Amino acid sequence: MRPARWSIAARLALVAVGGIVMVLPFLYMLGTSFKPHAFLFELPPRLVPEDPTTANYATAWTGNDFGRYFLNSAYVAIATTVAVLTVSSMMAYAFARFDFVGKRLGFGVLMAGLMIPGIITIVPQFVLATNLRLLNSLNGLVLFYTGAGVAFTTFLLRGFFERVPRALDEAMTIDGAGPVRKFLRLYLPLARPALATAAIFSFLGAWDEFVWALTVIDNPDKRTLPIAIAAFQGQHGTEWGLVFAASTIAVIPVILVYVAGQRQFVSGLAAGAVKD
Amino acid sequence: MATLTVPRESRTSGRPGVAPRRPGGRRFELTPYLFLLPGMALFCVIVAYPLGRSLQISFYDWAVVPTQVSRFIGFDNYVRGLQDSQFWLSLANVGVYLVITVPGQVVIGMLIAVLLDSKLPGRTLFRVLFYLPVVTSWVVVALLFKYLFTTDGGAINWVLHDTLHLVDHNIAWLQGRWTGLMAVSILGIWKGVGWAMVIFLAALSGVSADLKEAAALDGANAWHRFLNVSLPAIRKTLLFVVVLLIIGGFNVFISVLLMTNGGPAGGTEVPLTYMYKQAFGFLDFGYASALSFLLAIAIAVVSFVQFRLFREDSGERR
């Protein structure tokens, strides 16, 4: 089937319109982040500011401690990613390649955890975080993000581990390899694409998380980027220039991580979702 | 750990004729439990235990201050929730949100996926563009849309009023109930459509090209090929997407909180913003927990009905 040329052009036009709608708000945000205060609500709205200034970035970075918030977010996101991948890959291995009493129950409980909207547990989690003295703690954020991310990542990785050929597993067994060595030398290397997918999900999830951080962090020094950005919504109106400078700063790592891992991201997402 | 388990492993799975997955007659093995321990422990502490605890708290007039005593009040919080008109209004609002955003994301996502499924120049670029809002934080996009929907000087009103002349005055989007819900829903579609697209694309790529070709040879046009070949083949994926979008829609929170904050006068309140206010605004933890369980029940019922409907539907067709 070779579609006619006009049909390709028509489809391309349709997709292009959609693509522009998707990306235009981001471009507008970028442009606005360089606008002086007086031009924030100029009409007609301009994508490219007439008199661009980096003042918003300077104010965000120096006047509002955004360097610190950026580092806080980076620390939380990276630590969460490492922790989630470590414990989830171990669990995925156990679920994929062992038979044991309680296997179905254990996996069922995990999957139930996946279905339940996370925010339902926010009250007791807050009580727990208070009791464990984990309010205003970045490591506390890491701990909770990791616990919350374990079910999804295990689910994702288990699918890949199950596809590792049994012949390879048995060959290593005959060579005298134990479960730990098989895990480290066979399963983890073969699951690298899945691990990359899981890493992207975990990183972005922790980088963008808002509600929990909003609830347990009120020390300004411990703010992550999302709550710092939302804090620009003051009682006397929002400081839009700062909001968008800060948002641009927050979005750049997301775009880098996503574009770099785009192939893995899509294939991993598809592998989990499509089971026709 | 390794040296202990090596002989057992090799004896069971290495011996010919023994099915490796059969647990029968196996000796107890510690290894899998050791692999599970850290993750399961964390999951239980952070997710499973708070879930049980949430149920418990929902039956109490919960004292936030540790020196005071919580009082067991049975189902009172639930009764109060069911009689709370503001809670029902928040459910109605999330209903409006679902009715707009779920079909919006499914239809547009499917359309884009079908268009990108064929050979099209720049399809990778388009995938990235459509997925960009999905990976961007809710906080950033909620504030961005709040800015776009500003009454005077906002880009949306400028397009509608100054450019297209569709309205005769600037709409105060975020100051009214219906317009506020509309703005939040438009953001919901814009942010989620890429997700639906990616899932549909993956499913469509699995549809046999032979079938499509055969249908084309039989004279079926693109629409009929989609309706009779592709759509039935990706039924389960469609169900999956719809159910997840509904569950996700019930979770709408940040966009409402940051764009309208539930206002005016609670008019755009959704269940999670209302629950969050009860918990951390009024420190009524017991009531907030009961509300969250009522919401969970609502989500479970809707998902269950969804699965049933789709199953019966597909049963009749075959």
Side-chain angles (χ1 to χ4, degrees), chain A residues 1 3 8 11-12 14-16 18-23 25-26 28-29 32 35 39-45 87 90-91 93-103 106-107 109-110 113 115-128 131-132 143-144 146-148 150-151 162 166 169-170 173-174 176-180 182-183 201 204 208 210-211 214-215 226-227 229-230 233 238 240 243-244 247 250-251 254-255 258-259 262 265-266 269-270 272-276, chain B residues 1-2 5-6 9-10 13-14 20-23 26 28-29 31-36 38-40 42-43 45-51 53-54 57 62 111-112 114-116 118-121 124 126-133 135-141 143-148 150 152-155 158 162 189-190 193-195 198-199 202-203 209 212-213 216 225 233-237 240 247 251 253-254 257-259 272 275-276 279-280 285 288-289 292-293 295-296 299:
Chain A
M1 276 190 300
I8 293 184
R11 278 184 283 167
L12 198 59
L14 213 55
V15 180
I20 290 169
V21 170
M22 287 294 124
V23 81
F26 286 118
Y28 193 44
M29 173 179 103
T32 307
K35 278 181 193 170
F39 294 98
L40 283 175
F41 293 103
E42 61 180 339
L43 290 178
V87 298
M90 289 168 67
M91 287 170 83
Y93 177 57
F95 281 123
R97 280 296 143 92
F98 287 92
D99 283 309
F100 51 90
V101 178
K103 176 174 168 171
F107 198 69
V109 168
L110 270 189
M115 305 278 183
I116 294 157
I119 202 165
I120 284 186
T121 48
I122 197 164
V123 165
Q125 280 172 333
F126 180 78
V127 175
L128 183 68
N131 293 339
L132 296 176
L143 191 73
F144 277 81
T146 304
V150 157
E162 277 180 342
R166 281 202 173 261
D169 185 302
E170 281 162 22
T173 311
I174 291 165
V180 174
K182 282 194 285 190
F183 174 63
F201 274 113
L204 294 183
D208 286 342
F210 173 67
V211 182
L214 178 76
T215 309
I227 47 176
I229 292 169
Q233 284 226 106
T238 309
W240 289 111
V243 164
F244 292 135
S247 295
V251 165
V254 170
I255 292 178
Y258 169 56
V259 171
Q262 197 257 342
F265 196 74
V266 171
L269 197 70
V274 181
K275 285 191 176 163
D276 276 306
Chain B
M1 181 162 79
T5 45
V6 162
E9 268 280 293
S10 58
S13 56
R21 297 204 117 224
R22 287 286 297 274
R26 261 234 216 161
F28 176 79
E29 237 188 312
T31 319
Y33 297 104
L34 292 176
F35 273 97
L36 286 176
M40 259 319 187
L42 209 53
F43 177 79
V45 172
I46 306 295
V47 180
Y49 162 74
L51 194 65
R53 185 104 157 120
S54 186
I57 293 175
W62 192 263
L111 176 70
I112 303 293
V114 169
L115 291 173
L116 289 182
S118 51
K119 283 199 180 69
L120 210 60
T124 312
F126 285 118
R127 284 184 192 208
V128 173
L129 290 189
F130 277 95
Y131 209 76
L132 219 47
V135 289
T136 310
S137 118
W138 271 106
V139 174
V140 168
V141 296
L143 291 174
L144 179 54
F145 270 62
K146 185 181 184 186
Y147 179 68
L148 294 177
T150 306
D152 295 313
W158 176 76
D162 298 31
I189 294 176
W190 178 80
V193 78
W195 180 81
V198 164
I199 310 280
K212 281 193 258 185
E213 206 136 338
R225 283 204 300 277
I234 63 166
R235 261 192 116 60
K236 277 188 188 165
T237 306
F240 172 85
I247 294 174
N251 280 315
F253 176 68
I254 298 170
L257 187 78
L258 295 182
M259 285 171 78
L272 288 188
M275 189 270 272
Y276 194 85
F280 299 104
F285 280 14
S289 292
S292 66
F293 266 92
L295 182 66
I299 294 174

Side-chain angles (χ1 to χ4, degrees), chain A residues 150-173:
Chain A
V150 157
F152 174 74
T153 316
T154 303
F155 171 71
L156 194 77
L157 293 177
R158 189 195 67 143
F160 270 76
F161 285 176
E162 277 180 342
R163 260 172 273 156
V164 171
R166 281 202 173 261
L168 286 179
D169 185 302
E170 281 162 22
M172 281 193 78
T173 311

Side-chain angles (χ1 to χ4, degrees), chain B residues 56-77:
Chain B
Q56 183 205 359
I57 293 175
S58 73
F59 292 114
Y60 280 82
D61 181 9
W62 192 263
V64 179
V65 186
T67 48
Q68 285 172 352
V69 183
S70 301
R71 196 162 51 89
F72 182 82
I73 54 171
F75 282 97
D76 282 8
N77 284 324

Side-chain angles (χ1 to χ4, degrees), chain A residues 219-250:
Chain A
N219 178 351
D221 287 350
K222 297 293 167 67
R223 279 180 184 163
T224 55
L225 281 174
I227 47 176
I229 292 169
F232 282 132
Q233 284 226 106
Q235 297 217 302
H236 312 290
T238 309
E239 299 174 68
W240 289 111
L242 287 181
V243 164
F244 292 135
S247 295
T248 305
I249 293 170

